[in-house]
Amino acid sequence: MAGVSENKRQFWNKRPARLPGSIQPVYGAQHPPLDPRVPRNSLKDSSRIHTLPARSKKPSSFHEFARSTNDAWDIGDDDDENISTFSSQTLNSKVAMATAAQVLQNHSRQREHADKSQSSDEAWLNGRVTKSSSEIQLSGSSGNAIVRATLQKQQSLPHRPVIPLVARISDQNASGTPPMTVREKTRLEKFKQILSCPNTDFEELRKCSWPGIPREVRPITWRLLSGYLPANMERREITLQRKREEYFAFIEQYYDSRNDEHHQDTYRQIHIDIPRTNPLIPLFQQPLVQEVFERILFIWAIRHPASGYVQGINDLLTPFFVVFLSEYVDEDVENFDVKQLSDDVLRNIEADSYWCMNRLLDGIQDNYTFAQPGIQKKVKALEELVSRIDEEVHQHFARYEVEYLQFAFRWMNNLLMRELPLRCTIRLWDTYQSEPEGFANFHLYVCAAFLIKWRKEILDEHDFQGLLMLLQNLPTIHWGNEEIGLLLAEAYKLKYMFADAPNHYRR
């Protein structure tokens, strides 16, 4: 037995430090790989000559970053020698057999305890946290002290429902989540009471909608707040019928011209952009849905020649389509097959989505006219606002030559839709539609609050590339109603302080 232990010790002591397949730094979107134009041998030689100190200064450009990194499979000459030495070793057959038997034994034990441990590391019983069998197994090993400490820390945190990932549309009140609380039920009854009045009180409706609209009444509330439907209940059905017929009259009049010489470029760009719209959500990859989007966007572009179609407008259509689709769908919308809907229902969803998007764009059309002056103005206003509310962040951007236009253009052009999951956008738009000129003015303060939200992460980056990568890939994948509510509260504070006193943030 002593000989076996000695052989195992010699085997592991002689193994090379780096092998193909061993754990090495892997560089993804936020950490680009090597520059292919730079030979690997030169990188390797230079790394031997110039040894970096323990706390090296971070690279300030992409090429410096590339030269300071090694690829996971970039094996040096010394490693080649180690591999050849390792390949010449002959494994002791007894060691191999003993190791294999141990692996099989451990695997069988894990299968025996699978039903007992299930898949959770914590159990909530009578308001107390009880250790699960998987945690007991962890605590039985002295080598897993760090894992146990982390597990205990997680168990001390308050329990929260799991928020769906980026491809989930459903908000926290939708299917698959805990039942509504008493407060949520009370709010829903309040909405129903307001909407059932012969003449809707818009002031009261806006006040109730600001902190979020219940899923059950969101479609009718959005139609009202966008100005698509009148306040008078008796006129709503007639108005809906007339506007829907008017939209499909546009289809008959204009849609066949999409292949004409002076319209084909517009239609081609729309046709290219639509498959890129929310590619992770199966709903938007259905051909029938994409055809609906093509018609809506083309008709809007033809009827608004001052701006025409601009990339980014396709994103602004998706919240309306999802909300109006949810009126007819009880299950999760993101996986729903629209072929199950009748033609009349799908036509109604299409027409309503067009008119509500049209109302939204009427308020921010200068964002999409030639040279997009509306966006330029808003980005400049954001820069001035941030310079007043957080001078340190503003100076940090200036120090590393980060221009606000480089990251905030997309925030204004897409109304933060590329930065937030779709479920968060829908919640955000509840408030935008209840605010006077919410999309045109209040959005500026939301962007400022959103930027300052990442203050610590911004100040931790000390080069141009790191800052831009952070600002274009902000970690909001797990965000839900709570995070959006806090963001809107901060935005409202900024609006209250600065909206009526613009000199406070002018240079």
Side-chain angles (χ1 to χ4, degrees):
M1 191 66 183
V4 173
S5 300
E6 184 63 23
N7 289 334
K8 290 169 70 175
R9 187 178 299 106
Q10 292 177 1
F11 167 72
W12 292 113
N13 287 341
K14 291 180 180 179
R15 71 181 182 88
R18 296 170 61 200
L19 291 174
S22 60
I23 298 175
Q24 299 290 340
V26 178
Y27 302 101
Q30 297 187 6
H31 302 284
L34 289 172
D35 189 339
R37 295 172 295 182
V38 182
R40 291 184 177 181
N41 291 336
S42 64
L43 292 175
K44 186 168 50 187
D45 295 338
S46 63
S47 65
R48 290 173 181 169
I49 296 171
H50 306 287
T51 56
L52 295 174
R55 298 182 65 183
S56 60
K57 186 177 180 180
K58 293 186 69 174
S60 58
S61 70
F62 174 79
H63 295 297
E64 290 180 22
F65 177 82
R67 287 195 292 271
S68 68
T69 59
N70 289 323
D71 191 75
W73 290 88
D74 185 20
I75 302 173
D77 296 334
D78 296 337
D79 296 318
D80 294 335
E81 295 173 4
N82 288 334
I83 292 173
S84 62
T85 304
F86 174 70
S87 61
S88 64
Q89 295 282 342
T90 303
L91 292 177
N92 187 298
S93 59
K94 293 183 179 180
V95 174
M97 291 298 292
T99 304
Q102 185 65 33
V103 169
L104 291 172
Q105 186 178 4
N106 291 340
H107 180 68
S108 62
R109 287 177 180 173
Q110 291 175 0
R111 293 191 62 180
E112 289 175 3
H113 292 285
D115 293 335
K116 297 179 182 178
S117 62
Q118 296 180 1
S119 62
S120 176
D121 286 317
E122 58 184 21
W124 294 80
L125 297 174
N126 299 324
R128 297 179 62 186
V129 179
T130 307
K131 286 188 177 181
S132 63
S133 57
S134 58
E135 187 184 351
I136 293 171
Q137 290 176 5
L138 285 173
S139 60
S141 173
S142 58
N144 289 331
I146 298 176
V147 177
R148 291 200 308 275
T150 304
L151 187 61
Q152 291 170 359
K153 181 179 179 181
Q154 291 175 351
Q155 290 176 342
S156 65
L157 296 174
H159 179 67
R160 288 184 58 195
V162 176
I163 297 176
L165 296 179
V166 67
R168 297 274 302 179
I169 298 174
S170 304
D171 61 22
Q172 291 179 351
N173 295 335
S175 58
T177 56
M180 286 195 299
T181 63
V182 175
R183 181 175 178 274
E184 290 170 339
K185 289 180 180 179
T186 304
R187 292 192 69 245
L188 178 57
E189 290 302 320
K190 179 66 173 176
F191 270 94
K192 289 180 177 179
Q193 181 181 351
I194 295 172
L195 296 171
S196 63
C197 293
N199 287 286
T200 302
D201 185 345
F202 273 86
E203 190 65 31
E204 189 67 22
L205 184 62
R206 290 191 182 96
K207 187 186 300 182
C208 290
S209 300
W210 207 100
I213 303 171
R215 185 176 187 263
E216 293 81 357
V217 294
R218 183 175 278 140
I220 180 65
T221 305
W222 275 29
R223 290 188 187 102
L224 287 166
L225 292 178
S226 65
Y228 177 40
L229 285 184
N232 187 279
M233 182 180 289
E234 293 180 356
R235 293 175 50 212
R236 289 177 193 169
E237 193 61 36
I238 300 173
T239 302
L240 275 178
Q241 184 178 351
R242 176 173 57 83
K243 299 297 284 185
R244 288 166 179 172
E245 290 175 355
E246 186 178 350
Y247 168 73
F248 284 101
F250 294 155
I251 295 290
E252 293 180 6
Q253 182 178 355
Y254 298 116
Y255 195 59
D256 288 339
S257 67
R258 63 189 181 279
N259 294 319
D260 293 352
E261 184 177 355
H262 55 289
H263 289 155
Q264 62 183 4
D265 288 343
T266 297
Y267 179 73
R268 178 179 173 274
Q269 188 61 59
I270 292 171
H271 189 73
I272 291 172
D273 287 347
I274 285 176
R276 304 171 181 170
T277 306
N278 292 293
L280 297 178
I281 301 177
L283 172 68
F284 299 113
Q285 303 311 309
Q286 298 178 36
L288 201 56
V289 174
Q290 294 183 356
E291 290 172 11
V292 168
F293 276 44
E294 283 184 3
R295 287 194 292 269
I296 292 175
L297 295 172
F298 182 76
I299 295 302
W300 189 89
I302 293 300
R303 287 181 49 78
H304 296 80
S307 61
Y309 173 75
V310 178
Q311 286 181 303
I313 295 179
N314 55 310
D315 288 328
L316 306 185
L317 176 58
T318 55
F320 292 114
F321 185 82
V322 167
V323 167
F324 296 140
L325 176 62
S326 67
E327 192 172 16
Y328 304 94
V329 178
D330 293 329
E331 57 191 273
D332 291 336
V333 176
E334 61 269 19
N335 293 311
F336 181 75
D337 185 358
V338 295
K339 291 180 181 178
Q340 300 178 30
L341 298 174
S342 66
D343 291 342
D344 288 342
V345 167
L346 193 56
R347 285 167 62 91
N348 292 342
I349 294 171
E350 179 177 346
D352 293 353
S353 299
Y354 169 82
W355 285 115
C356 288
M357 185 194 75
N358 180 71
R359 293 278 183 167
L360 185 160
L361 292 172
D362 281 350
I364 57 172
Q365 193 170 354
D366 61 341
N367 284 8
Y368 306 104
T369 53
F370 178 74
Q372 299 181 275
I375 292 179
Q376 304 278 352
K377 182 180 178 181
K378 289 181 177 70
V379 170
K380 183 63 178 175
L382 176 66
E383 180 178 357
E384 293 174 346
L385 181 58
V386 172
S387 70
R388 294 307 182 201
I389 63 178
D390 199 322
E391 179 71 15
E392 188 176 1
V393 168
H394 181 73
Q395 291 299 330
H396 193 71
F397 286 151
R399 186 178 304 114
Y400 296 103
E401 300 180 347
V402 175
E403 299 289 340
Y404 283 77
L405 200 64
Q406 291 168 330
F407 63 88
F409 179 89
R410 189 171 76 178
W411 294 11
M412 303 299 178
N413 188 63
N414 300 82
L415 298 178
L416 287 177
M417 287 196 64
R418 298 287 178 91
E419 278 59 50
L420 298 171
L422 184 52
R423 63 181 178 276
C424 294
T425 298
I426 292 172
R427 166 62 191 91
L428 187 67
W429 284 21
D430 288 345
T431 301
Y432 280 3
Q433 296 194 83
S434 62
E435 273 279 327
E437 297 185 333
F439 293 99
N441 294 334
F442 188 61
H443 180 67
L444 167 67
Y445 301 99
V446 172
C447 288
F450 187 66
L451 181 64
I452 303 305
K453 159 75 178 166
W454 309 103
R455 183 181 192 278
K456 180 181 181 299
E457 290 81 358
I458 289 170
L459 297 178
D460 285 343
E461 294 290 342
H462 297 286
D463 63 276
F464 173 85
Q465 180 191 353
L467 282 166
L468 219 55
M469 284 293 185
L470 170 67
L471 292 167
Q472 292 178 350
N473 299 277
L474 292 166
T476 60
I477 187 173
H478 291 284
W479 275 32
N481 289 353
E482 182 179 344
E483 288 78 6
I484 294 298
L486 293 172
L487 177 68
L488 288 167
E490 290 297 320
Y492 184 80
K493 285 168 54 180
L494 294 176
K495 178 192 173 187
Y496 185 81
M497 289 188 291
F498 293 103
D500 296 327
N503 289 331
H504 288 183
Y505 60 89
R506 281 182 184 164
R507 290 186 178 279

